Amino acid sequence: MSATPQTPAPQGGIRRLTPSDIRARKGGTPVVCLTAYTTPMARLVDREADLILVGDSVGMVLHGMPSTLGVTMEMMILHGQAVARGVERAALVVDMPFGSYEETPAQAFRNAARIMAETGAQAVKLEGGLHMAETVAFLTARGIPVMGHVGLTPQSVNALGGYRVQGRGGDAARVRADAAALTQAGAFAVVLEKVPAALVDTITAEIAVPTIGIGASAGCDGQVLVIDDMLGLFGDFRPKFVRRYAELGESAAEAIARYAADVQARRFPAPEHVFASELPATGGSGKAAS
Ligand code: KIV
């Protein structure tokens, strides 16, 4: 375990947002949150986002896993370090993977501390409501800011019977109690995933910390999306709650097809892409040719 956080010191007087800043946004300008998993994407997201989440969705999005259940501590730390290198302004939160925190508060502390020490993240996120409140209190009392996550909790997909909307009808009281328990336990924000809009609005009015919605409602104190979903990097995956702001998957497919056609027709590389065997004359400028 390296004791050296990977986060570069912010340059040029940029003030880094903290979990307390996010907490203070309750009822104010909505918090802009996106996931990121790599340094280049983190650099782009950092220009606009207040909060960057290295979600365990990385397992499905970048590693082609069928669910988030196979994501490991090592994967979260590696992607957390990559993202931290690209972030100067946004607050950085790393997800705790399935199996790394549910057993005991002590297990959760050990793994959360490792994530924070090795990535430089300012907080962790974990899934679950009432039954995780003791753990959230344990972590926050020991200096680890925690973002909660209730409603649809994808790590419990097998127990929930699928990626279903949570909190409909008589189930609403359970989701309300979950969000309230996490707030009481000291979470600085709570993600509400796939929860009916009216219930989201009730919870947002009830709890003292920002609600961050995904498949929730515009009444939340902030919104989060998986970056690859909103950029249209998945052709066929179009969940109801995602607005596509680009069609990068289509652009990439078209670019790859043009490259393949150029290679097959020997149009690439062109003369400007190849190296001469002799160095061109410098013409006195003294500049070296490439
Ligand atoms: O893993 C993830 O990306 C998440 C967000 C969708 C909230 O938990």
Side-chain angles (χ1 to χ4, degrees), residues 15-22 32-34 46 49-53 87-93 121-123 188:
R15 192 175 90 73
R16 184 77 182 268
L17 293 173
T18 65
S20 306
D21 293 323
I22 302 301
V32 177
C33 180
L34 282 167
D46 191 48
D50 304 305
L51 187 60
I52 297 183
L53 171 67
V87 176
E88 287 195 335
R89 179 188 163 273
L92 178 60
V93 179
Q122 293 139 301
F188 72 89

Side-chain angles (χ1 to χ4, degrees), residues 35 37 53 55-57 95 125 149 191 214 224 226:
T35 69
Y37 316 110
L53 171 67
D56 63 350
S57 51
D95 251 344
K125 176 168 81 59
H149 183 158
V191 170
I214 175 163
V224 59
V226 167

Side-chain angles (χ1 to χ4, degrees), residues 165 168 194 214-216 225 229 236-244:
V165 173
R168 281 194 167 131
K194 271 195 156 178
I214 175 163
L225 282 178
D229 290 348
D236 298 334
F237 185 62
R238 290 177 179 272
K240 174 181 168 66
F241 58 85
V242 173
R243 179 179 289 164
R244 281 199 178 179

Side-chain angles (χ1 to χ4, degrees), residues 75-89:
M75 288 167 72
M76 295 314 301
I77 287 170
L78 196 67
H79 287 285
Q81 289 171 339
V83 169
R85 289 184 202 111
V87 176
E88 287 195 335
R89 179 188 163 273

